[in-house]
C-alpha cells in the first residue's frame, strides 16, 4: 500500500489531520480511506531514511488504541481537502457546505454580555478567578429552566462544558474501557473515535468498515432512520443523536419510547445528543427526558454551538438525572462530578456570560432567529436536490441534508462535487458504513453562498 | 520552637472526606441500570482536594457568618486583568456579532498567531516552533488529555508531595492499582520523595523506571524550582530509561533566581519531554481558561511513531479548541504592552510571597518556597497537617491547604498561597502573628 508521507509541520497547520491520504483526489478508493496507521514506521517526521535509523526513540510504547484508528478525525480531513482544492484553484470561489460550521454573526444581546464580562474582569469588584467546575449556578439554573422545564431536571443536574465534543470524551473517561457501546450507523464520528481511544473496542474490520465490539445500529431510509431494536445486541451504553447528525432525522415520541424501553430492559445507559434540538420543526421530542422513565436510563449532551453560533466560543452542557444509577446503586452524576473536578476546570467565564444571555428571553428569541435563518437555507438545499430528482432526507428538523447517490461511492461523489462545483460537502461513509451512498450537505452558510451553491448543483446534475 | 506553642490537636482519622459509597441498604427501591461503575473511579479514595477545601470554607462561613475569612488556600488569582488584556477580549467578543468579524470553529490546536507568540515568548532560542505548541483550555484539562493519549498501560512517577491532578487522572485512566491504606499511596505509581534535606529533588538512583515522569517546577506545593543541574540529571534519567517527562511549568514566570524556566533549556530534552503550561497564574486566567502543551517533533514512541501525531489526533477528537475569546486575551497578554502588565501582576503576587515569608520567619517557622513560586510550604514539625489546617482556620479564619492533600510527604506541612489582595495578605500576617506568638 502506498501512502504519501506528510511532513509533520505542514500536516499540523490550521486544519490539520493525521490522515495520510491522497493528494490526487481522483485515485481515492473510498473503501480504503484508511491510512497506513499500523505501519507506523512509515509515518515519521524525520527528513531522510538514514536519519530515521539514528533518531532517538523513547522506550515508551505507543498507545495501541490510537494505532487502531484508521485515519485522521473526519472533519480535519475535509478541511485539508478543502484547503488543497483552494490551493489548486486559487480563482475558484469555494463554498463550504461540509463541516457544520456556523457562519452568521452572534446576536448582539449575546456578544455584548461577553464584552461586558470581559471588561468587568478588569475591575476590582468584578474580577473572578476559578469558577465552579460544574458551571456558574445562574447558568445551570437557566439551562434547566429553559430546556428542561417540567421534566424534573434541575440546576444541579446540569454540568456546563466547553462543548459537546469535549463532554463526549469525558463521558468515555467516566465509563472506562470495560463498557460496550452501540451507535447509530451513520453517526457523528466522535462517539466511535472516542470509544476506540478509551480502549472499548477491538480492531477495525476492513471488510465491514466497523470496529469490533461496537454495535452499529443501521439507520436507513427503509427503517425510517430508526434502528430495528430487535436486531440490536445489548450494550452498556447507547449513543443516540436526535435530531441526527448526519441524516437530519428526528426520532418520534414513539421511537424514543421504544428506545427507552429497550434501555430499561437491557439495563443500558443512553447518551442522548440533542445538540440540534432547537431545529425541530414538528412535534418530535426535543429532549429524551420527555419520555417517561428516561431519567432512569439516560443522560443528555447538548451545545450552544449550533444555536448561538458558539462553535468558536465553546459552550455546552450535559444533564445527568439524579435517578441514573450504576448496577451497584452508585449515582452516575457523582462520578461525573468527580471527572469534571479532576479532568476539567470549568468553561470559560466569558463564554458562560454569553450563555446566560443566550437563555435570557431576548437571547432565546435571537437564537430562534439564527436557527430560523439556517432552516431557510436547509429548505433551499432540500428543494434544489428534490428538483433534480434526488432522494433527499433530513433537512426538516436539522441543518443537514442527506442526499442519496445510489450505487456510488460517497467519497467519489464528494470529489466530483468539489472538483466540478467547488462546493465542499461531507461524504456519508465518513460517518460509518451506513453512510455509504450518501452525501451530507450542511446548511450553514451565508444566504448568497447557499443560493450560489444550489445554482451550481443544478448545473452539474441537470 | 513550634512544639512549645499551645496548640490543641484533634486527631483526625480521615485525611479527606471519604467518597460517598453506596450500600445495598441505601438504595433498595431505586432502579439501577446494569452498567458497572468504572472500577477505576472506585479506586479514588477521596474527593478531589480543592473542592474539598472549598467545602470546608463554606462550612466555616456558615459557622462564623460574621468572620472575615481570608483565603490563602486554593491558588486562585485575585487581581483584575490588565485593561489591555480585558479590552482585547471585549473587542473580540463584540466583533463576533459583525459579519466581517464573525468566526466559527477555530483550529483545534489553537490560532497560528497565538501558537507562534507562545513559542517566541517562552521558548525563544530553544528551537520550539509554533507547530509544536497546542493551545488548550488549561493545564488541568491537558493533563487528562495526555493521560488519554498515553493509555492505561503506562507506569508513572510523580514527585511527593505534588499537585494531585497527575495522580488522580492516572487512577481514573486505569494506570494504577488500589490505594495502600496505611500510606495513602496508589500501587503502581512511583512516588519520588522530595524533601528539604535533599533540596526538594528526588534521589534518582532510588527511582524505579517508569514510562512517564511527571515533574512540576517551580513546584506546586513546595515552591521549589529545580536547578539546571537537577534538571540535567532528570533528563539523563529519562534518556537512560527511555522515559517521557511531562514537565509542568505553570509557575515558571515566578522564578526569581535564574533557575530554568523550561525543560527545553536542557540539551536533549526535546527528545524526552512534553511541557505543559498555563495562562492561569501568568495572566489571571483561572476563570478565562487558557493554557498550552508543547510536544516536540523529536519525541518518539518506542516504535518510532511521533508522539505529536497522536496528541494531535486526541486534540482533534476529544477537544474542539480553546475559546477564541480567551485566545484573543492570551495573544494580548503576550504583546509587549500586555506582557509588561501581566508581569507586574506576577510581581505583585511575588511581593505578597515575600511578606508571608517574613511573617513565618519572624514566628520561627521554617517556610520553604515563596521565592520562585506563589506558594509557601510551611513546616510544622511533628504535626498532622489537617489538624494545623483546622486550628488556623478556627482561630484566624484563614484558609490554607493541608500538606497531606498533596501526598504522604506533605504530612507536616501547610501550603499557603501568595494570591490575594495586599491588604488581605497583611491582615492574614497580623492574625498569624497574634495566634502563633
Amino acid at each position: 500500500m502506498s501512502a504519501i508521507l506528510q511532513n509533520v509541520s505542514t500536516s499540523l497547520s490550521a486544519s490539520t489531520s493525521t490522515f495520510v491520504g491522497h493528494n490526487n483526489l481522483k485515485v481515492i478508493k473510498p473503501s480504503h480511506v484508511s491510512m497506513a496507521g499500523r505501519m507506523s514506521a512509515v509515518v515519521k517526521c524525520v527528513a531522510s531514511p538514514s536519519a530515521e535509523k539514528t533518531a532517538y526513540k523513547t522506550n515508551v510504547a505507543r498507545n495501541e488504541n490510537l494505532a487502531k484508528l484508521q485515519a485522521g478525525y473526519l472533519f480535519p480531513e475535509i478541511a485539508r481537502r478543502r484547503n488543497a482544492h483552494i490551493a489548486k484553484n486559487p480563482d475558484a470561489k469555494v463554498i463550504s457546505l461540509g463541516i457544520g460550521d456556523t457562519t452568521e454573526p452572534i446576536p448582539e444581546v449575546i456578544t455584548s454580555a461577553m464584552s461586558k464580562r470581559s471588561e468587568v474582569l478588569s475591575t476590582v469588584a468584578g474580577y473572578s478567578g476559578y469558577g465552579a467546575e460544574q458551571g456558574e449556578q445562574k447558568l445551570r439554573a437557566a439551562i434547566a429552566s429553559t430546556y428542561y422545564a417540567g421534566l424534573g431536571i434541575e440546576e444541579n443536574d446540569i454540568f456546563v462544558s466547553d462543548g459537546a465534543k469535549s463532554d463526549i470524551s469525558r463521558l468515555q473517561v467516566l465509563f472506562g474501557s470495560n463498557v460496550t457501546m452501540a451507535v447509530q450507523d451513520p453517526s457523528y464520528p466522535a462517539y466511535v473515535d472516542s470509544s476506540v481511544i478509551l480502549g472499548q473496542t477491538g480492531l477495525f474490520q476492513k471488510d465491514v468498515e466497523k470496529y469490533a465490539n461496537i454495535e452499529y445500529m443501521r439507520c436507513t431510509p427503509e427503517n425510517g432512520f430508526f434502528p430495528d431494536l430487535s436486531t440490536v445486541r445489548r450494550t452498556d451504553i447507547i449513543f443516540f443523536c436526535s435530531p441526527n447528525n448526519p441524516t437530519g432525522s428526528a426520532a418520534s415520541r414513539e421511537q424514543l419510547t421504544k428506545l427507552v424501553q429497550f434501555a430499561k430492559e437491557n439495563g443500558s445507559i443512553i447518551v442522548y445528543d440533542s445538540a440540534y434540538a432547537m431545529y425541530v420543526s414538528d412535534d418530535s421530542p426535543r429532549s429524551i427526558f420527555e419520555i417517561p422513565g428516561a431519567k432512569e436510563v439516560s443522560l443528555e449532551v447538548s451545545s450552544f454551538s449550533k444555536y448561538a453560533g458558539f462553535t468558536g466560543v465553546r459552550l455546552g452542557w450535559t444533564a445527568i438525572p439524579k435517578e441514573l444509577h450504576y448496577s451497584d446503586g452508585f449515582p452516575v452524576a457523582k462520578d461525573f462530578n468527580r471527572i469534571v473536578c479532576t479532568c476539567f476546570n470549568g468553561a470559560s467565564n466569558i463564554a458562560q456570560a454569553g450563555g446566560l444571555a443566550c437563555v435570557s428571553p431576548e437571547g432565546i428569541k435571537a437564537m430562534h432567529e439564527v436557527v430560523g435563518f439556517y432552516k431557510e437555507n436547509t429548505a433551499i438545499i432540500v428543494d434544489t436536490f428534490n428538483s433534480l430528482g434526488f432522494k433527499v432526507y433530513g433537512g426538516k428538523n436539522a441543518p443537514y441534508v442527506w442526499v442519496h447517490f445510489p450505487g456510488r461511492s460517497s467519497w467519489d461523489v464528494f470529489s466530483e462535487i468539489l472538483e466540478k462545483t467547488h462546493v465542499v460537502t461531507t461524504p456519508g461513509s465518513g460517518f460509518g458504513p451506513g453512510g455509504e451512498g450518501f452525501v451530507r450537505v450542511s446548511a450553514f452558510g451565508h444566504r448568497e453562498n447557499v443560493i450560489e451553491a444550489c445554482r451550481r448543483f443544478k448545473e452539474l446534475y441537470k | 520552637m513550634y512544639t512549645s506553642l499551645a496548640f490543641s490537636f484533634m486527631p483526625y482519622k480521615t485525611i479527606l472526606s471519604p467518597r460517598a459509597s453506596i450500600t445495598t441498604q441505601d438504595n433498595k427501591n431505586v432502579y439501577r441500570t446494569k452498567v458497572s461503575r468504572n472500577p477505576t473511579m472506585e479506586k479514588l479514595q477521596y474527593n478531589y482536594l480543592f473542592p474539598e477545601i472549598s467545602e470546608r470554607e463554606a462550612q466555616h462561613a456558615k459557622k462564623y457568618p460574621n468572620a472575615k475569612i481570608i483565603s490563602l488556600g486554593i491558588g486562585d488569582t485575585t487581581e483584575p486583568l490588565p485593561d489591555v488584556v480585558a479590552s482585547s477580549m471585549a473587542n473580540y467578543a463584540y466583533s463576533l456579532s459583525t459579519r466581517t468579524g464573525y468566526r466559527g470553529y477555530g483550529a483545534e490546536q489553537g490560532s497560528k498567531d497565538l501558537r507562534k507568540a507562545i513559542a517566541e515568548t517562552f521558548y525563544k532560542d530553544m528551537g520550539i516552533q509554533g507547530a509544536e505548541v497546542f493551545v488548550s483550555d488549561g493545564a488541568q484539562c491537558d493533563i487528562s488529555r495526555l493521560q488519554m493519549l498515553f493509555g492505561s498501560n503506562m507506569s508513572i512517577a510523580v514527585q511527593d508531595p505534588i499537585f494531585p491532578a497527575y495522580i488522580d487522572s492516572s487512577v481514573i485512566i486505569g494506570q494504577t492499582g488500589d490505594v495502600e491504606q496505611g500510606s495513602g499511596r496508589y500501587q503502581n505509581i512511583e512516588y519520588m520523595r522530595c524533601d528539604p534535606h535533599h533540596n526538594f529533588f528526588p534521589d534518582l538512583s532510588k527511582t524505579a523506571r517508569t514510562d512517564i515522569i511527571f515533574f512540576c517546577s517551580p513546584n506546586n506545593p513546595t515552591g521549589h524550582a529545580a536547578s539546571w543541574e537537577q534538571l540535567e540529571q532528570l533528563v539523563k534519567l529519562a534518556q537512560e530509561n527511555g522515559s517521557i517527562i511531562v514537565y509542568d511549568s505553570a509557575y515558571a514566570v515566578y522564578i526569581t533566581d535564574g533557575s530554568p524556566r523550561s525543560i527545553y533549556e536542557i540539551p536533549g530534552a526535546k527528545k524526552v519531554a512534553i511541557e505543559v503550561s498555563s495562562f492561569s497564574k501568568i495572566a489571571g486566567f483561572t476563570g478565562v481558561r487558557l493554557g498550552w502543551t508543547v510536544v516536540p517533533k523529536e519525541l518518539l514512541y518506542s516504535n518510532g511513531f511521533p508522539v505529536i501525531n497522536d496528541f494531535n489526533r486526541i486534540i482533534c477528537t476529544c477537544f474542539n479548541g480553546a475559546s477564541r475569546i480567551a485566545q484573543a486575551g492570551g495573544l494580548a497578554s503576550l504583546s509587549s504592552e500586555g506582557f509588561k502588565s501581566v508581569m507586574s501582576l506576577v510581581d505583585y503576587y511575588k511581593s505578597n510571597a515575600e511578606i508571608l515569608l517574613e511573617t513565618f520567619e519572624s514566628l520561627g517557622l521554617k517556610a520553604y518556597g515563596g521565592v520562585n513560586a506563589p506558594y509557601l510550604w510551611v513546616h510544622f514539625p511533628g504535626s498532622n497537617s489537617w489538624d494545623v489546617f483546622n486550628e488556623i482556620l478556627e482561630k484566624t479564619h484563614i484558609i490554607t491547604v493541608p500538606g497531606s492533600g498533596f501526598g504522604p510527604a506533605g504530612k507536616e506541612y501547610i501550603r499557603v498561597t501568595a494570591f490575594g489582595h495586599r491588604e488581605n495578605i497583611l491582615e492574614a500576617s497580623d492574625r498569624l502573628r497574634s495566634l502563633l506568638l
Side-chain angles (χ1 to χ4, degrees):
Chain A
M1 179 195 297
S2 74
I4 295 171
L5 284 172
Q6 287 196 337
N7 181 292
V8 169
S9 61
T10 57
S11 76
L12 294 180
S13 59
S15 315
T16 194
S17 153
T18 53
F19 189 106
V20 177
H22 305 261
N23 286 322
N24 183 346
L25 296 172
K26 291 196 182 72
V27 300
I28 296 164
K29 293 246 177 279
S31 59
H32 295 298
V33 288
S34 51
M35 64 179 271
R38 285 174 297 244
M39 293 162 58
S40 50
V42 172
V43 186
K44 251 198 237 204
C45 58
V46 292
S48 66
S50 59
E52 213 176 273
K53 285 200 206 94
T54 57
Y56 171 84
K57 302 173 200 178
T58 65
N59 210 8
V60 178
R62 185 185 181 206
N63 183 347
E64 57 186 23
N65 295 328
L66 270 294
K68 287 181 184 132
L69 289 169
Q70 290 300 293
Y73 190 61
L74 174 63
F75 300 111
E77 178 56 23
I78 301 300
R80 199 190 63 75
R81 291 183 191 232
R82 177 194 68 212
N83 295 341
H85 185 78
I86 290 170
K88 208 168 120 196
N89 303 276
D91 295 327
K93 188 169 170 235
V94 174
I95 298 175
S96 280
L97 300 180
I99 296 169
D101 194 7
T102 47
T103 55
E104 301 313 290
I106 298 173
E108 265 191 58
V109 61
I110 297 165
T111 55
S112 60
M114 295 194 288
S115 288
K116 183 135 193 279
R117 185 63 176 269
S118 303
E119 277 160 10
V120 155
L121 290 172
S122 66
T123 67
V124 174
Y127 178 78
S128 61
Y130 285 117
E133 298 92 337
Q134 306 81 0
E136 293 177 0
Q137 204 60 26
K138 276 205 187 117
L139 178 58
R140 298 171 79 186
I143 289 171
S145 62
T146 301
Y147 294 102
Y148 304 105
L151 298 180
I153 296 290
E154 296 157 354
E155 60 186 80
N156 289 332
D157 304 326
I158 305 291
F159 295 82
V160 179
S161 74
D162 65 316
K165 198 177 191 199
S166 311
D167 263 353
I168 284 159
S169 281
R170 280 190 281 266
L171 285 166
Q172 297 288 35
V173 171
L174 168 75
F175 294 134
S177 57
N178 290 343
V179 295
T180 52
M181 61 164 258
V183 288
Q184 289 157 298
D185 175 24
S187 72
Y188 176 58
Y191 317 133
V192 167
D193 286 17
S194 59
S195 183
V196 176
I197 289 171
L198 258 298
Q200 296 165 356
T201 80
L203 297 173
F204 187 73
Q205 297 158 330
K206 272 211 157 62
D207 52 345
V208 291
E209 306 231 313
K210 293 178 179 178
Y211 288 94
N213 213 38
I214 293 184
E215 182 70 8
Y216 290 76
M217 304 185 294
R218 185 59 70 106
C219 292
T220 61
E222 291 74 34
N223 64 16
F225 294 104
F226 189 77
D228 178 357
L229 295 175
S230 68
T231 64
V232 175
R233 264 191 304 234
R234 182 202 174 273
T235 56
D236 294 304
I237 311 297
I238 305 170
F239 281 91
F240 201 91
C241 177
S242 178
N244 189 260
N245 174 9
T247 69
S249 166
S252 68
R253 195 162 310 268
E254 198 184 45
Q255 289 170 332
L256 291 181
T257 303
K258 281 203 197 119
L259 182 68
V260 166
Q261 196 187 355
F262 181 71
K264 198 87 187 254
E265 282 162 11
N266 286 345
S268 309
I269 294 177
I270 299 166
V271 173
Y272 192 81
D273 185 341
S274 66
Y276 301 98
M278 283 181 77
Y279 287 79
V280 170
S281 304
D282 54 23
D283 61 359
S284 303
R286 286 157 167 78
S287 163
I288 189 67
F289 303 121
E290 292 181 37
I291 310 299
K295 291 207 293 275
E296 290 170 328
V297 299
S298 0
L299 58 93
E300 185 163 304
V301 181
S302 195
S303 171
F304 284 98
S305 282
K306 308 299 161 64
Y307 299 162
F310 267 28
T311 42
V313 174
R314 309 309 315 148
L315 194 73
W317 72 87
T318 290
I320 306 189
K322 300 180 188 66
E323 293 89 326
L324 190 64
H325 295 91
Y326 289 113
S327 56
D328 67 354
F330 197 86
V332 176
K334 275 209 153 83
D335 270 352
F336 189 69
N337 186 63
R338 181 50 146 108
I339 297 276
V340 155
C341 289
T342 311
C343 308
F344 185 52
N345 229 331
S348 177
N349 48 14
I350 299 169
Q352 292 193 62
L356 201 54
C358 284
V359 291
S360 69
E362 208 189 328
I364 291 168
K365 188 160 165 284
M367 287 197 294
H368 275 297
E369 279 168 20
V370 170
V371 166
F373 176 86
Y374 293 127
K375 282 165 82 164
E376 284 165 7
N377 283 353
T378 318
I380 292 170
I381 297 168
V382 168
D383 284 345
T384 300
F385 280 99
N386 271 332
S387 73
L388 292 168
F390 285 97
K391 271 241 151 17
V392 172
Y393 303 96
K396 186 157 85 112
N397 291 314
Y400 298 119
V401 184
W402 190 237
V403 187
H404 198 199
F405 288 82
R408 297 197 61 191
S409 120
S410 56
W411 278 101
D412 283 349
V413 178
F414 164 88
S415 303
E416 174 181 83
I417 294 175
L418 183 56
E419 282 294 315
K420 298 191 174 162
T421 69
H422 307 300
V423 177
V424 187
T425 56
T426 313
S429 57
F431 299 96
E436 185 57 285
F438 291 86
V439 163
R440 187 193 79 171
V441 183
S442 83
F444 298 112
H446 295 322
R447 182 60 50 82
E448 59 269 24
N449 287 338
V450 172
I451 289 172
E452 169 64 14
C454 287
R455 191 194 63 76
R456 297 180 194 177
F457 294 147
K458 286 191 173 132
E459 269 300 305
L460 176 61
Y461 291 116
K462 60 179 181 229
Chain B
M1 200 178 300
Y2 171 70
T3 50
S4 69
L5 297 169
F7 240 78
S8 61
F9 293 110
M10 283 162 54
Y12 269 78
K13 292 212 176 70
T14 57
I15 297 173
L16 281 162
S17 299
R19 301 200 64 225
S21 61
I22 298 290
T23 62
T24 44
Q25 277 304 105
D26 301 350
N27 274 23
K28 253 200 295 207
N29 299 317
V30 163
Y31 172 83
R32 303 171 182 193
T33 66
K34 289 198 183 105
V35 181
S36 299
R37 185 181 178 207
N38 187 348
T40 67
M41 295 300 292
E42 273 188 276
K43 289 195 174 103
L44 288 168
Q45 288 297 293
Y46 309 109
N47 296 323
Y48 192 57
L49 176 61
F50 302 109
E52 178 67 27
I53 302 298
S54 290
E55 176 57 32
R56 302 229 180 185
E57 181 173 348
Q59 283 168 12
H60 189 79
K62 261 205 192 125
K63 197 169 153 197
Y64 299 97
N66 297 320
K68 195 187 156 209
I69 298 175
I70 296 178
S71 185
L72 300 181
I74 294 172
D76 196 5
T77 47
T78 55
E79 300 313 290
L81 301 181
D83 283 339
V84 64
V85 174
S87 59
S88 77
M89 295 195 289
N91 289 338
Y92 189 89
Y94 177 72
S95 74
L96 293 173
S97 62
T98 67
R99 199 175 145 105
T100 49
Y102 178 75
R103 297 285 181 276
Y105 285 117
E108 298 92 335
Q109 305 80 3
S111 90
K112 271 215 173 91
D113 287 344
L114 180 56
R115 297 168 81 185
K116 185 160 175 273
I118 289 169
E120 284 172 0
T121 304
F122 299 104
Y123 304 102
K124 209 170 169 58
D125 303 326
M126 293 178 220
I128 297 292
Q129 300 161 10
E132 295 166 304
V133 177
F134 294 80
V135 179
S136 74
D137 60 328
Q140 187 152 287
C141 312
D142 264 352
I143 284 159
S144 281
R145 281 189 282 262
L146 285 167
Q147 297 288 34
M148 284 181 67
L149 167 76
F150 295 135
S152 57
N153 288 342
M154 287 286 166
S155 52
I156 75 163
V158 294
Q159 292 156 295
D160 179 16
I162 195 56
F163 173 60
Y166 318 133
I167 293 170
D168 287 18
S169 60
S170 183
V171 176
I172 289 171
I173 211 79
Q175 295 163 353
T176 79
D178 289 317
V179 77
E180 286 159 10
Q181 284 305 325
S183 66
R185 295 197 167 102
Y186 289 94
Q187 290 165 349
N188 210 40
I189 293 184
E190 180 72 8
Y191 289 79
M192 306 184 293
R193 186 95 179 196
C194 292
D195 277 333
H197 324 289
H198 298 104
N199 212 3
F200 286 107
F201 193 73
D203 181 352
L204 295 180
S205 68
K206 297 212 176 87
T207 304
R209 184 203 175 272
T210 57
D211 296 302
I212 312 296
I213 305 170
F214 283 93
F215 201 90
C216 178
S217 177
N219 189 263
N220 175 7
T222 69
H224 176 73
S227 67
W228 205 95
E229 287 73 29
Q230 287 174 334
L231 292 181
E232 209 191 9
Q233 279 179 56
L234 183 68
V235 168
K236 186 153 171 277
L237 178 79
Q239 283 166 341
E240 282 165 1
N241 287 348
S243 308
I244 294 178
I245 299 165
V246 174
Y247 192 81
D248 186 340
S249 65
Y251 301 99
V253 296
Y254 287 80
I255 290 174
T256 323
D257 67 0
S259 299
R261 289 168 180 236
S262 163
I263 190 67
Y264 303 119
E265 292 185 32
I266 312 300
K270 283 197 292 197
K271 298 190 167 113
V272 299
I274 290 170
E275 184 160 309
V276 180
S277 194
S278 171
F279 283 89
S280 283
K281 312 298 162 62
I282 296 175
F285 270 27
T286 41
V288 175
R289 309 307 316 144
L290 194 72
W292 72 87
T293 289
V294 176
V295 185
K297 293 183 198 147
E298 295 95 316
L299 186 66
L300 307 178
Y301 286 115
S302 55
N303 66 359
F305 194 86
V307 177
I308 193 173
N309 284 17
D310 274 350
F311 190 66
N312 186 61
R313 183 49 146 109
I314 296 276
I315 293 302
C316 290
T317 310
C318 308
F319 186 51
N320 230 333
S323 176
R324 282 183 179 274
I325 302 171
Q327 291 192 62
L331 199 56
S333 73
L334 299 182
S335 69
S336 87
E337 189 196 340
F339 199 66
K340 263 200 218 108
S341 57
V342 299
M343 283 302 109
S344 68
L345 282 182
V346 168
D347 284 339
Y348 180 91
Y349 295 126
K350 281 161 88 164
S351 301
N352 283 352
E354 274 175 39
I355 292 168
L356 290 167
L357 273 175
E358 277 169 28
T359 302
F360 285 108
E361 196 184 345
S362 72
L363 296 170
L365 284 164
K366 187 84 187 100
Y368 300 96
V371 167
N372 289 315
Y375 298 117
L376 276 71
W377 189 237
V378 188
H379 195 200
F380 290 83
S383 72
N384 174 316
S385 56
W386 277 96
D387 294 338
V388 180
F389 166 86
N390 283 310
E391 289 285 355
I392 293 176
L393 183 55
E394 271 298 312
K395 299 192 172 162
T396 69
H397 305 300
I398 296 173
I399 307 268
T400 56
V401 184
S404 45
F406 298 98
K411 183 160 176 274
E412 294 180 355
Y413 294 81
I414 291 287
R415 190 192 79 172
V416 180
T417 84
F419 296 116
H421 297 321
R422 183 61 50 79
E423 59 268 25
N424 288 338
I425 300 291
L426 293 169
E427 165 83 19
S429 294
D430 284 343
R431 292 186 198 176
L432 286 167
R433 262 190 281 264
S434 58
L435 171 69
L436 296 171
L437 272 174

